[in-house]
Amino acid sequence: MKKNLVLLKVYLMAGAFTFSGGMAMLPLVERELCDKREWIERKELHEYTTLSQVFPGVIALTNACFIGRKVNGKMGMFFAGVGAVLPAFILMSLATYFYDLVPKEGAVLSALTGIRATSAAFLFLAAYTLAKFNLKDKLTICLSLLAFFLTIFNLLSAPRLILVAVVIGAVSAIFKKGDKLC
């Protein structure tokens, strides 16, 4: 039960204090679960985080479910998932309820601007960490740069881009497997 409560606490903190969603949570979750408690290997955390981005749905929840299940089975998955969703639910409920009462200028606007800047830093750090983990050979580096530029210039839609990447990855795996057979 202690692991479940820690998972709940870690994802509650990550959800409450890291804005911009699942990717921004990575540094906090990594520090708490990999460095501090050593419950999951950094490599596994990065694999699950990468996988979370591929599956449809909320990245933070998908990530929490993968990590929670790895750390403590189905109950760990449940507690981590609740921890990932609860802060967003509470904050969005409060924001919706009090939206008309909040001033749209002055200190509030400055605070929101600061939060936006901090969110960008969290996202950059998470992207850098995952790139360092995933980009290990020339093919993946070229494929990621190609995907980046095709996305930036809006030349290919995301679903088509994913399909192209799947085909290239499958063909690459077949050729690598063929090299080992010879």
Side-chain angles (χ1 to χ4, degrees):
M1 188 64 173
K2 182 182 180 215
K3 280 188 176 184
N4 293 334
L5 293 177
V6 170
L7 284 167
L8 178 71
K9 177 187 162 204
V10 166
Y11 278 96
L12 275 171
M13 284 186 343
F17 297 112
T18 57
F19 298 94
S20 299
M23 286 289 293
M25 290 180 170
L26 182 62
L28 191 141
V29 172
E30 186 175 4
R31 185 179 63 243
E32 290 293 322
L33 300 182
C34 295
D35 299 338
K36 193 173 176 182
R37 291 183 176 79
E38 297 179 354
W39 286 353
I40 188 168
E41 294 291 322
R42 184 172 269 108
K43 180 180 178 184
E44 287 178 303
L45 176 70
H46 293 160
E47 285 176 5
Y48 287 134
T49 303
T50 301
L51 243 141
S52 299
Q53 296 173 51
V54 176
F55 282 98
V58 180
I59 294 172
L61 178 60
T62 308
N63 183 307
C65 289
F66 278 138
I67 304 300
R69 173 104 186 207
K70 174 67 179 172
V71 169
N72 204 34
K74 290 181 181 176
M75 288 305 289
M77 180 175 76
F78 175 77
F79 277 86
V82 168
V85 171
L86 198 58
F89 175 75
I90 292 170
L91 290 172
M92 290 305 295
S93 297
L94 290 172
T96 303
Y97 186 76
F98 292 113
Y99 180 75
D100 290 332
L101 302 175
V102 175
K104 311 291 186 280
E105 55 192 43
V108 173
L109 182 62
S110 297
L112 292 175
T113 303
I115 289 171
R116 219 175 20 238
T118 304
S119 297
F122 279 128
L123 287 173
F124 180 75
L125 179 60
Y128 173 75
T129 302
L130 287 178
K132 201 166 66 169
F133 172 75
N134 287 310
L135 303 179
K136 298 198 183 237
D137 59 22
K138 290 179 184 178
L139 177 66
T140 56
I141 292 170
C142 290
L143 190 57
S144 65
L145 288 173
L146 178 66
F148 178 74
F149 286 113
L150 289 173
T151 304
I152 291 262
F153 296 114
N154 203 21
L155 298 174
L156 200 59
S157 68
R160 288 188 178 138
L161 191 58
I162 290 170
L163 288 175
V164 168
V166 166
V167 169
I168 291 172
V171 169
S172 170
I174 290 169
F175 279 115
K176 283 182 183 178
K177 194 175 194 179
D179 289 343
K180 291 179 183 176
L181 294 176
C182 297

